[in-house]
């Protein structure tokens, strides 16, 4: 092999050692204005395999314009985890 090919192979091997699968989780729930970044949330859904304590990384909440509107569900992103 040439030097370039050898270095590419070495780079692929080194990168493969540090790469692990992650869990990305976003849930939809009723509005929870008390949630904030890194807020701990216990999720318990054995079917999905997410029975544990997670931390909030992001959220998307739509506030009602007036009292006649029903609150909309909000999306909450959880911090990534390694499998």
């Amino acid at each position: 092999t040439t030097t370039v090919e050898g270095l590419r192979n070495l780079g692929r091997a080194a990168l493969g050692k540090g790469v692990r699968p992650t869990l990305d989780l976003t849930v939809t729930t009723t509005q929870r204005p008390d949630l904030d970044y890194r807020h701990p949330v216990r999720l318990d859904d054995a079917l999905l395999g997410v029975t544990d304590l997670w931390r909030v990384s992001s959220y998307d909440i739509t506030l009602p314009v007036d009292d006649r509107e029903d609150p909309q569900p909000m999306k909450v992103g959880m911090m990534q985890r390694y499998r």
Side-chain angles (χ1 to χ4, degrees), residues 1-69:
T1 63
T2 66
T3 304
V4 173
E5 289 174 18
L7 288 173
R8 283 187 181 146
N9 291 335
L10 180 63
R12 284 188 199 105
L15 178 63
K17 289 180 184 178
V19 174
R20 297 187 298 177
T22 59
L23 293 172
D24 290 318
L25 183 63
T26 301
V27 295
T28 302
T29 185
T30 56
Q31 285 194 5
R32 297 263 321 263
D34 61 311
L35 294 180
D36 203 359
Y37 180 70
R38 296 185 54 84
H39 187 101
V41 177
R42 177 153 306 276
L43 298 177
D44 189 10
D45 192 330
L47 182 65
L48 296 176
V50 292
T51 305
D52 206 352
L53 189 68
W54 290 72
R55 293 199 178 269
V56 173
S57 67
S58 65
Y59 55 89
D60 182 11
I61 186 169
T62 303
L63 300 175
V65 176
D66 57 38
D67 293 336
R68 293 172 291 175
E69 289 185 37

